Amino acid sequence: MLKTVKFGGSSVAGAEQFKKVKAIIEADPSRKIVISSAAGKRSSDDHKLTDLLYLCHAHITYGVSCDDIMDTIQKRFADMRNELGLRYDVEADFAALRAKLDRDTSVDELVSRGEYFTSKLLAEYLGYEFVDAANCIFFSLDGQIDKEKTYAAIAEAVGKYERVVIPGFYGRSPTGRIKVMSRGGSDISGALAAAACNADVYENWTDVSGILMADPRIVKDPKPIPRITYAELRELAFMGASVLHEESVLPVKEKGIALNIRNTNRPEDAGTMIVEKVENEDTHERFITGIAGRRNFAIITVLKHNMNTSETLRRALEILDRYKASVEHITLGLDSFALVTSSAALGDGVYDVLNDIQKSCHPDEVQVKDGIALVAAVGRKMTFRPGISGRLFKALGENGVNIRTIAQGADELSIIIGVENKHFETAIQVMYEGFAG
Ligand code: ASP
């Protein structure tokens, strides 16, 4: 058994968190490959090191001294080292970094030091080998990860040292310079390391006990999702849930590696297991996996008696495409169809779109209804379950939520309803209480 484990910023924020990380690593000898973020916030009024480093760079760019910020960062590492009784020469590494800081210092190189220093400390503390991401995560010229080269280099490092700590978030570009990923990129580094070594599991340790069934700002204490498929996760993310970014799960998804989201502060919780396919479906588990939604859509309805639906629809879609307004859903009637698109994408162009539809489709009528929220109930177990939509609509109706449009994904993984923006939160609460709570 081989596990790749990634610790997020809050998991490595200070000496106390380091101790929890060590206990997690020591509890399971298969946790051999560790990816670390930069130390994050220790409390709500604290700062993430990555943010401080970006701030440093902004100071340098404008010719303002960043000595104070650098002192704060250095002190944070030195304090952690002292508290944990480690030997890492923080002062020497910082002196070297500070000596090269000038207007030409690349922002990527500077901000990557958050992960670099944190991982150096962590490696010493765990007794693991520090392997610099600059030597094992590679970008190609188009800015994408060069997977072949990266996998080979990580596999080689793991083959040589067996237990390693690799900093997340950055790698090396073909020109030899340090390049960072998008914010939160350590998730990607972790997935790459797991894929490179064909790990059995990729554990992503954070500060929540898994993905929640609904947004906790809308539903009180939503339950965590025990098991979810990659397809469901994609659907939830698309519908607005703040879950792992698709890019950051792709390397493990491609290799069929399960991804387990865990809580560093509550290691006894099982967290959420993300898998390609659920083998032994637990029939007692809820049949809705999660609920998510987004506000601000518009429904454009085109009515035309006896129309050639495919031709008229094609023309309307072409028009929306010209205005770069992507279509989220299409519902068809005998003499009408409705297109749901994002209001922001339409913007001020909405009247031009309607005008063009008039001219090109010659409808009896074309209407637009703005201020629509889309809410989706996502669940693999909804497939072939009769009566779910009926129950859902009844519950919403009883709570005064008027449904403006309904769509069911062709794979029956989700039921999506359109309601007025003002009913957004109620719709989510009713769905949660009725089907998930
Ligand atoms: N430290 C980086 C950030 O704050 C990357 C990460 O934590 O994943 O975005």
Side-chain angles (χ1 to χ4, degrees), residues 6 8-9 37-38 48 50-51 115 168-169 182-187:
K6 179 250 163 179
S37 280
K48 282 179 156 201
T50 309
D51 293 335
E115 271 62 19
F169 187 44
S182 50
R183 294 299 303 262
S186 301
D187 286 335

Side-chain angles (χ1 to χ4, degrees), residues 107-344:
V107 60
D108 285 34
E109 174 157 10
L110 181 56
V111 300
S112 74
R113 297 305 87 181
E115 271 62 19
Y116 179 88
F117 294 134
T118 309
S119 300
K120 276 203 136 177
L121 266 185
L122 189 62
E124 188 192 338
Y125 186 50
L126 298 177
Y128 279 30
E129 184 75 21
F130 170 82
V131 175
D132 192 350
N135 298 329
C136 65
I137 295 204
F138 299 103
F139 291 90
S140 31
L141 279 173
D142 61 2
Q144 303 296 314
I145 296 288
D146 181 339
K147 278 193 188 155
E148 211 178 304
K149 203 168 161 193
T150 298
Y151 288 178
I154 295 177
E156 194 190 321
V158 172
K160 195 160 159 200
Y161 302 112
E162 201 186 350
R163 295 175 184 276
V164 298
V165 175
I166 306 174
F169 187 44
Y170 72 93
R172 192 192 291 278
S173 73
T175 55
R177 291 166 71 102
I178 299 256
K179 181 173 159 52
V180 295
M181 302 169 184
S182 50
R183 294 299 303 262
S186 301
D187 286 335
I188 305 177
S189 312
L192 290 168
C197 308
N198 293 311
D200 296 286
V201 183
Y202 168 33
E203 290 180 344
N204 191 312
W205 291 82
T206 170
D207 52 8
V208 285
S209 294
I211 303 173
L212 300 173
M213 290 189 73
D215 185 339
R217 288 166 302 183
I218 300 177
V219 170
K220 193 167 173 292
D221 294 333
K223 298 192 176 113
I225 300 172
R227 291 192 289 182
I228 183 171
T229 64
Y230 282 108
E232 289 175 303
L233 185 78
R234 187 175 139 77
E235 199 94 13
L236 277 178
F238 179 68
M239 286 308 295
S242 50
V243 288
L244 282 175
H245 204 263
E246 178 152 37
E247 203 192 344
S248 59
V249 301
L250 209 60
V252 276
K253 178 181 176 336
E254 276 173 359
K255 292 229 169 170
I257 298 169
L259 197 168
N260 190 191
I261 300 184
R262 303 285 294 263
N263 188 347
T264 302
N265 305 315
R266 291 182 57 89
E268 63 281 13
D269 292 351
T272 298
M273 198 54 125
I274 308 167
V275 291
E276 189 58 39
K277 197 173 175 313
V278 175
E279 293 298 350
N280 302 309
E281 201 70 86
D282 178 351
T283 42
H284 299 298
E285 267 178 36
R286 295 165 291 261
F287 55 82
I288 283 186
T289 305
I291 297 161
R294 286 186 285 153
R295 289 191 177 85
N296 299 329
F297 289 91
I299 306 177
I300 298 175
T301 309
V302 177
L303 300 108
K304 186 176 178 180
H305 189 67
N306 254 340
M307 74 169 135
N308 174 343
T309 312
S310 39
E311 175 60 17
T312 321
L313 184 61
R314 185 182 62 75
R315 290 181 185 207
L317 288 174
E318 265 171 18
I319 293 167
L320 282 167
D321 197 41
R322 248 195 341 260
Y323 286 87
K324 308 230 171 326
S326 66
V327 176
E328 308 278 327
H329 294 291
I330 305 174
T331 42
L332 289 178
L334 187 58
D335 291 323
S336 66
F337 58 80
L339 310 172
V340 180
T341 177
S342 128
S343 302

